[in-house]
Amino acid sequence: MVDYLANTEINSQRIAAVESCFGASGQPLALPGRVLLGEGVLTKECRKKAKPRIFFLFNDILVYGSIVLNKRKYRSQHIIPLEEVTLEPLPETLQAKNRWMIKTAKKSFVVSAASTTERQEWISHIEECVRRQLLATGRQPSTEHAAPWIPDKATDICMRCTQTRFSALTRRHHCRKCGFVVCAECSRERFLLPRLSPKPLRVCSLCYRELAAEKRKEEEEEEEQSVGSPRQPAYLAGAICGASSGDDDDSDEDKEGSGDGDWPSHVEFYASGVSWSSFHS
């Protein structure tokens, strides 16, 4: 680790350069004791397709964003506290290599590196930072993680009813609990998932039944322990049944990089012989 870099001029310059690339749309990143440990381009599996994203590893946070102009301009900055992160290496296939999953309580997603070496470097550095951050804060590793969204292209039919076929007129939706791609009819319900949002979110019919049953059981246990006036069952509080509403946003991943160049079409992504990640020492 490079703790000795904290509060040094070179570290301050590196962090200032990152802040400059994100511009006014990004949050300030310079804090006493914060060290920029590494940076690089990883492929993030988004809802529509896999897209290149710039990642920055600090000793306490992981930052990523969309690439507008490589090493000059980024947008859609996301900041993830490392004490919330759990990593899960994924098996290799002919079509998908050097992948792993970044899991948190609010969001989980799959990324891949340009090579096996870079993948291992990212995983080992992140895991060491997480270990140190948990030690410093006294927190326990997170055990609850959001389900990653299954990409749209993974299925042409609803993954719940297996009857509805998606088309230009029949939209795909995602269950916020299991991440499955489902049709509108199979995801009419909304349920409050406090870890993800303060408002009820779209869930599939199966997850709704399971969530409602869990809440019903909790309500019954509470009723046994207390005496009071009748009230609305907890499993219905915040739950909404009905068709899609305009404020239920199914395009989180698309908005993340909307309007940016993502990657110039004339540049071969992950060209051989090029290192796409670097770690500071």
Side-chain angles (χ1 to χ4, degrees), residues 226-247:
S226 63
V227 178
S229 57
R231 62 181 184 273
Q232 182 186 26
Y235 70 92
L236 290 179
I240 303 174
C241 296
S244 290
S245 61
D247 39 321

Side-chain angles (χ1 to χ4, degrees), residues 241-257:
C241 296
S244 290
S245 61
D247 39 321
D248 177 55
D249 186 6
D250 245 341
S251 58
D252 305 354
E253 294 291 343
D254 301 328
K255 290 173 65 178
E256 186 179 291

Side-chain angles (χ1 to χ4, degrees), residues 15 19 23-31 34 58 61 63 77 79:
I15 295 178
E19 291 179 328
S25 65
Q27 296 184 38
L29 298 172
L31 284 178
R34 177 170 286 170
F58 296 80
I61 58 174
V63 177
Q77 182 191 76
I79 300 177

Side-chain angles (χ1 to χ4, degrees), residues 98-115:
N98 308 320
R99 302 159 71 237
W100 72 97
M101 189 182 299
I102 298 175
K103 303 191 292 186
T104 74
K106 291 186 176 181
K107 186 174 185 178
S108 300
F109 54 91
V110 174
V111 295
S112 59
S115 66

Side-chain angles (χ1 to χ4, degrees), residues 155-167 169-173 181-187:
T155 180
D156 290 327
I157 61 173
C158 173
M159 298 178 72
R160 282 301 177 212
C161 69
T162 69
Q163 300 296 319
T164 302
R165 183 166 293 277
F166 300 120
S167 66
L169 298 178
T170 305
R171 285 188 57 198
R172 290 170 169 85
H173 299 280
V181 183
V182 292
C183 65
E185 187 62 30
C186 288
S187 59

Side-chain angles (χ1 to χ4, degrees), residues 20-38:
S20 176
C21 287
F22 278 107
S25 65
Q27 296 184 38
L29 298 172
L31 284 178
R34 177 170 286 170
V35 178
L36 176 58
L37 300 175

Side-chain angles (χ1 to χ4, degrees), residues 33-73:
R34 177 170 286 170
V35 178
L36 176 58
L37 300 175
E39 56 194 87
V41 176
L42 299 175
T43 301
K44 180 175 178 289
E45 295 186 8
C46 301
R47 176 184 175 181
K48 296 291 185 182
K49 62 180 181 179
K51 300 178 181 179
R53 293 288 182 254
I54 186 69
F55 279 78
F56 299 95
L57 176 63
F58 296 80
N59 57 341
D60 62 333
I61 58 174
L62 182 65
V63 177
Y64 72 92
S66 304
I67 301 169
V68 180
L69 201 57
N70 197 31
K71 297 185 179 180
R72 293 181 62 182
K73 183 174 178 59

